[in-house]
Structures are given as C-alpha cells and as structure tokens.
Amino acid sequence: MAAPRSSSALTAHLRRVSGFQVVSLVVAAIVVGTLAVTIVRLAVWTWQKYGLGIGHFYATQVFGNPVMVKTIIDTLVIVGVSCALATVIAGILAWLNERTDASIGIVGRVLPLVPFLMPAISFPLGWVFLTAPSSGLINVLLRQLLGSVGVKLITGPINIYSWYGMIFLYTVFLSGFAYLVLSSSMRTLDRGLEEAARMAGAGPVKILFRITLPALRPAMVTAYFLCAIVGLIMVAVPVTVSTHANIPVLSVTLVNLVTTTTPPAYADAFLVGLLLLVPIIGLWLLQRNSAANGRIAVIGGKASGEARLALGRGGKFLGRLIFVVYVAVTVAFPLLGLLYVSGVSFWSLVLPLTWNPIPNVKLVFSNPVASQAILWSLLLGVGGGLIMIAVAHVLSYSQRLFPRAGRVVDALVKSPVVIAQILIAVAILVTFGGAPFHLEGTTWIILIGYLLVFLPFSSVLTTGAHQEIGSDVIEAATMAGSSDARTFRSIVTPLTRPALVAGFLLMFVLVAGENNISLILASTTRPVVGYVMVDLFNFGSFPQVASMALVVTLVNLVFVSLFMLIFGSRLPFAQRWPIRLLRRRDRVGEAPGRVAPKQEAATVTR
C-alpha cells in the first residue's frame, strides 16, 4: 500500500506545480547550464596546467609575490573608497531629485547617467585629454596663465595619473550605477516616515541621513554591491590611467595575462580572477542579510503621497547648485575634452591654430566599419537589455517560489563576476565558435557573451527590487486565489517597474559601450563600438576616437531620454499623455463647463 500512497502524493505535488514555476525552472536551467559550460571550460584549462599544485601557485605566485600583493591591496582600496563615495553621492542626488522641491524632473534622472552613456573608454579619455600632465588642455591653459604672472611650470599643475585621479574617475563613473538603484527606490518609498519626522521638527539634512537613507538600506547595499562588481572588473579607467600612475589594478593584470603573454596564461588569469570571489560573496551575503532582518522600509499596499520635502529658498538653491556642479564635473568637462581633441589634427601640448571637428565626424559616418559598429551596438543593446532584464526578473521572483533552489540559482547567475570578462569571451569562442554551433564571427556569439557577462548586473538590480516588496502583498494575492503568473504580471511587475526600466537602461548602455569581450568575439564583419574604438586608440588616432565617442554618446543619450519619457512612470504612456492634454486644456480654458481635472484624469485612467 506504500507505493500507491507515494505515487498519489507525487501526483498531487505535481498538480500543485504551476506553469509559471515550470517556466522559471526551464529559464534557470538554461542560464545555469550555459554558465556551467564556460566555467568548466576555464576550470579544465587550469587543472591541466597545475593539477594539485594550485595551492603552491597561490603561495608563491600570488601571496608570495610582492607585486601581486600590492596589486590586490591597491585594487581593494581604490574600489572600496570609490564605491562608498559613489553610493553617498548618488543617494544625495536621488534624494534631491525624487523627494525634495529642488527636483529638476526627468532632467535630473537623465544627467547622472550620462557618464556611462559614453562608451566605456571615452569617459576616462575625456579627462585625460583635459588633465594629462603635459598635453591636457586645462594644464596647458593653466601653465600659460601662471606663466603670465611669473610662475613657470613644465608639467601639471593637475595630474590625472595619481591616486586622487584614479579614485576621482572611479567615483564619477560608478555614481551613475548607484543612482540607477537608489533613484527608483527613492521614488517608491513611502513618505510617511519623512512626513512624521518633518512634523516632529527634523530638518532636511537630518531627515536624509537619519530617516531616508537608513530606510533604504537594501537599496544602499545593492548600490554598493553593483558598484563593487563594476569597479572590480572595470578595465576602461585603469587601462588609461593606472599604467602612467604606477598603480597596478587587478583587472588590467588579468587582461595582460591573456593578451600580452605568449602563450596566453589562461590558467593563471583564472586563478587570480578567483580572488574576486571573496569580496563579491561578502557583499552578496550582506545584501541578503540587510533584507532578511526586517529592519527596513518596503513597498506595501499603500501608495506614497506626492508631497515633496520643502528645503526653503536657500536649500533649494543649494540643491540645484549641487546638480550643476555634478553635471559640470561628470558631463561638461569630459565632453569638453572629447570636443577639443575631435577638432584637431594631432593631440599635443601646443594649442592648435584652427579647430574644426566636422572632418573627423564625417570620417566616422563615412567609415563603413564605424557606422556598422554603431548600428550593431544599438541593436545588441536593445535586444540584449530586454532579454537580460526579463530573465533576471523571472529568476528573482522564482526565489519566492523556490527559496532554496532560488538562492543557489541567484549565486550561480552572479558567478561570472569573479572571472575576467576576457576569459569568458575566450571560453565562449572555443565552446560556441566551432562545431557543432559554428557561431564564430556572428552576432549570436556576441549576444551570448553579453548575456553571460552582464546578467549578474541585471540580477543585482531585480533582486534588490523584489526584496523591497513586502511579503504581505504576495500573501494577499495568493489568498485571493491569484496564480503565480497573474501575481507576477499584475502585482510584482508594476511594483518593480521603475527598477526594471532602470535595469534595462543599464544593460543598454553597458552593451552599447562595452570594450572587453568585444575584442575577442567581434570582428570586421560584425563590428561593435568597443572593438572599433580600441582599434583606433591602439593606432593613436585620438581625434577619430574622440569623434566616435561623441557620436555614440549622442545616440545613447537620445535613446535613454526617449525611453524614460515613455516608460519612466508607473502610469502607462497611453494613459499618461491624454491626462496631460486634458490638464493643459483645462489651464488654457478651451472647454468651459468641463468636468474637474481630477475627474477627467480618473476617467481616462479607467
């Protein structure tokens, strides 16, 4: 009789499994399986070379090597300090724009993202063009100004090739990533605590640091986690600055082990890259614990109000001034450097007699490889961003359906961050480039590479957004008879929509300006922006690199602005614009005797 009971119990259990759960398991299996293939490929390379001598490698070549120890320490210091500064700066900017009357609306949401709307290598290049000790435009002008009053300098006075230059570039670059996380969380946080603190006499600064930021602890930890992932594996900033500054960084060391050694030291790079696992796992555990202890603010069933915190005339002016300074430092000056170099024939320490960027810009559009690279990067950014954010969204919700298995899948999805991106690219090329797939030189192999490399970032964003949804909301839907698919579609997705939009935009700009794995997977038949720009940079074509960076930045900025305008609100675009038109008609008085605006808006919404 035991067998029939066991069979009936299994049948009953299978009947309780919903279709959405099956889909979640299939998606997780595909993602984990693909990751396993690439990681196992790298592990096999390592085992074939060292076998049981891996411990001896770490003892002698890593921790016994003073240069490698200095590289690890310098990397941790730069990334740790920069991520903390970037998170605080992003929190202040998000608070000013989302919670106070100093907000500048959609402009404030777009401006902090501009630094990484540029192709990855172009942002540090913009600052190098301005502050390089000898040829930087600002240094050249300052030396002329100081020389007029009798102060003679050969180089400087500003030196971007230094510790403060490295931390500055890291902080500015990473602040946009932190802002994506914090701005969406600021927008959905209940304003009740802030209103209570304001009624109790607390000032704006005290409300920010004692109420708002502590209430967003999961989002703060998520922002720091995301910045750490990007900072640890970033190549664009250190490759342009760290060599001249004599500050070794681990990501550049990993790339050099693969690209500058003969034969490529894949096994050494893989073992050194595994060291990144320690800080990543520590921050991941901190992210989970910050949401598990319950001492946080979450999205509940009650909507937040629309009232903004009044800063007063002086506070409002100071808030707007902070935006202006941030925009000048992160956008205006790098673009100025790119514009300056794009209009000269050669970049040197002598100011040019003429400046005209049009010829170099024309070269970008007349070059078939460069124009195809921009088009393919745009298409891959849109398609890859949609796929990655959809997969991460499903996997994050599956952690509620399968708590234990979901955590394992979440950890495996984030595992590629511990491996240098260029190593993953090589493994993908070996795995999918030949038989039986034959994807070498195609768009598909580039897309697979982007999905594996950038899926951890989208997973961080969606996981943080799902953690902010109170369990009472999901339990109420379940008790009301809602299926998993309906709860996911009608409740979870609308509540996480700001984070999903932010995640898609992040994926788009990451893919559109990527320059690590594209060096391995792209080709002249399927070029992308990063591949072409690095090629021009290696040949010393700085004016052409600057011109292409400006064109790509403009394309990305237009796309992101239009996307946020259409999808950046909780209210669907098709309902939002009729409401605006009705309100505008109400203001100009074109329809006398009409219904009240609130009633019109409610009618259109229904």
Side-chain angles (χ1 to χ4, degrees):
M1 297 296 294
R5 290 182 180 178
S6 177
S7 177
S8 60
L10 178 61
T11 304
H13 177 73
L14 292 176
R15 288 178 179 176
R16 289 195 298 268
V17 176
S18 65
F20 185 84
Q21 292 176 337
V22 174
V23 172
S24 300
L25 290 175
V26 171
V27 172
I30 294 175
V31 173
V32 173
T34 307
L35 291 174
V37 170
T38 58
I39 294 175
V40 168
R41 173 76 64 171
L42 295 175
V44 168
W45 282 336
T46 304
W47 184 258
Q48 289 175 347
K49 181 175 182 180
Y50 288 105
L52 297 177
I54 292 177
H56 182 263
F57 171 83
Y58 278 115
T60 58
Q61 302 298 321
V62 179
F63 299 109
N65 186 346
V67 176
M68 185 61 68
V69 172
K70 182 179 185 301
T71 300
I72 295 172
I73 295 175
D74 290 352
T75 301
L76 293 177
V77 171
I78 291 174
V79 174
V81 174
S82 301
C83 290
L85 294 175
T87 302
V88 173
I89 292 173
I92 294 174
L93 292 173
W95 177 72
L96 288 172
N97 197 58
E98 302 293 344
R99 314 293 288 188
T100 72
D101 60 354
S103 171
I104 53 178
I106 191 173
V107 177
R109 297 178 185 177
V110 173
L111 287 178
L113 312 180
V114 173
F116 59 86
L117 288 177
M118 305 177 186
I121 198 174
S122 63
F123 170 73
L125 277 180
W127 274 104
V128 168
F129 291 153
L130 291 177
T131 56
S134 298
S135 305
L137 176 61
I138 293 179
N139 282 326
V140 172
L141 296 177
L142 286 177
R143 287 198 297 268
Q144 291 183 355
L145 180 62
L146 294 174
S148 64
V149 295
V151 179
K152 302 296 183 181
L153 295 175
I154 299 177
T155 62
I158 303 174
N159 184 9
I160 196 66
Y161 304 132
S162 60
W163 271 97
Y164 67 82
M166 288 278 290
I167 293 177
F168 168 77
L169 291 177
Y170 267 81
T171 300
V172 173
F173 188 87
L174 296 174
S175 61
F177 292 88
Y179 183 86
L180 275 172
V181 179
L182 296 177
S183 63
S184 60
S185 298
M186 287 277 187
R187 212 173 305 147
T188 57
L189 181 65
D190 192 350
R191 302 179 188 269
L193 293 175
E194 293 176 329
E195 294 173 357
R198 182 172 53 183
M199 294 177 63
V205 177
K206 189 174 183 179
I207 291 176
L208 170 63
F209 289 100
R210 297 292 298 274
I211 304 295
T212 306
L213 295 183
L216 290 175
R217 186 170 58 185
M220 297 287 288
V221 175
T222 299
Y224 189 93
F225 185 26
L226 181 61
C227 291
I229 292 176
V230 178
L232 287 171
I233 66 175
M234 180 166 53
V235 175
V237 171
V239 79
T240 56
V241 178
S242 65
T243 302
H244 297 281
N246 195 25
I247 303 175
V249 177
L250 196 57
S251 59
V252 177
T253 301
L254 297 177
V255 173
N256 290 336
L257 287 173
V258 176
T259 59
T260 63
T261 58
T262 305
Y266 298 125
D268 294 6
F270 176 63
L271 291 176
V272 174
L274 287 179
L275 295 175
L276 300 177
L277 183 64
V278 177
I280 293 298
I281 289 180
L283 291 172
W284 175 64
L285 293 175
L286 180 62
Q287 181 195 26
R288 297 196 63 86
N289 291 336
S290 66
N293 59 26
R295 298 176 60 187
I296 55 174
V298 298
I299 302 174
K302 182 179 179 180
S304 59
E306 295 296 332
R308 291 182 177 269
L309 180 64
L311 300 180
R313 180 175 299 180
K316 186 175 181 178
F317 173 78
L318 180 60
R320 298 282 176 85
L321 182 62
I322 291 175
F323 273 107
V324 172
V325 173
Y326 182 84
V327 170
V329 172
T330 60
V331 180
F333 284 114
L335 290 179
L336 176 62
L338 294 173
L339 280 171
Y340 165 65
V341 176
S342 68
V344 300
S345 300
F346 301 97
W347 179 45
S348 65
L349 52 82
V350 179
L351 292 177
L353 298 178
T354 60
W355 179 85
N356 185 9
I358 296 179
N360 289 321
V361 173
K362 287 183 177 179
L363 286 177
V364 174
F365 289 102
S366 61
N367 186 343
V369 176
S371 58
Q372 287 183 28
I374 296 174
L375 177 60
W376 279 113
S377 293
L378 181 63
L379 294 177
L380 286 170
V382 174
L386 289 174
I387 295 173
M388 283 183 280
I389 205 65
V391 170
H393 188 32
V394 171
L395 294 181
S396 296
Y397 184 64
S398 66
Q399 295 185 46
R400 294 182 183 268
L401 304 178
F402 316 100
R404 294 182 181 179
R407 293 174 184 176
V408 175
V409 172
D410 183 55
L412 292 175
V413 166
K414 292 182 174 67
S415 61
V417 301
V418 306
I419 307 171
Q421 294 181 358
I422 196 168
L423 292 180
I424 297 179
V426 172
I428 292 173
L429 182 62
V430 173
T431 305
F432 297 101
F437 302 101
H438 300 289
L439 297 180
E440 183 178 359
T442 65
T443 307
W444 294 109
I445 196 169
I446 302 176
L447 180 60
I448 293 173
Y450 288 155
L451 293 180
L452 292 184
V453 168
F454 294 125
L455 187 59
F457 304 131
S458 59
S459 176
V460 169
L461 285 170
T462 56
T463 299
H466 280 256
Q467 288 176 349
E468 293 179 1
I469 300 178
S471 58
D472 58 325
V473 177
I474 307 300
E475 292 173 357
T478 303
M479 293 178 63
S482 177
S483 63
D484 293 331
R486 185 176 181 182
T487 301
F488 178 79
R489 181 182 65 254
S490 303
I491 297 178
V492 175
T493 299
L495 288 177
T496 58
R497 181 175 177 176
L500 297 180
V501 172
F504 169 76
L505 294 179
L506 175 60
M507 296 304 102
F508 170 78
V509 296
L510 282 176
V511 171
E514 196 278 333
N515 68 337
N516 293 338
I517 65 173
S518 61
L519 299 180
I520 302 297
L521 301 180
S523 63
T524 54
T525 57
R526 284 294 182 271
V528 292
V529 167
Y531 175 85
V532 175
M533 289 189 64
V534 171
D535 190 50
L536 293 174
F537 175 77
N538 290 335
F539 281 98
S541 303
F542 299 115
Q544 286 75 27
V545 172
S547 300
M548 187 171 183
L550 292 173
V551 172
V552 174
T553 301
L554 180 61
V555 172
N556 290 347
L557 181 60
V558 171
F559 178 84
V560 169
S561 301
L562 291 176
F563 193 88
M564 291 187 68
L565 181 65
I566 297 174
F567 299 102
S569 172
R570 285 183 175 276
L571 192 61
F573 180 77
Q575 298 177 6
R576 188 164 69 254
W577 277 101
I579 293 175
R580 292 184 179 181
L581 294 176
L582 291 172
R583 288 176 176 174
R584 180 178 299 178
R585 188 190 68 180
D586 179 72
R587 286 196 300 268
V588 300
E590 292 181 353
R594 61 197 174 282
V595 185
K598 290 184 179 180
Q599 296 177 353
E600 287 182 329
T603 302
V604 174
T605 303
R606 288 195 296 269

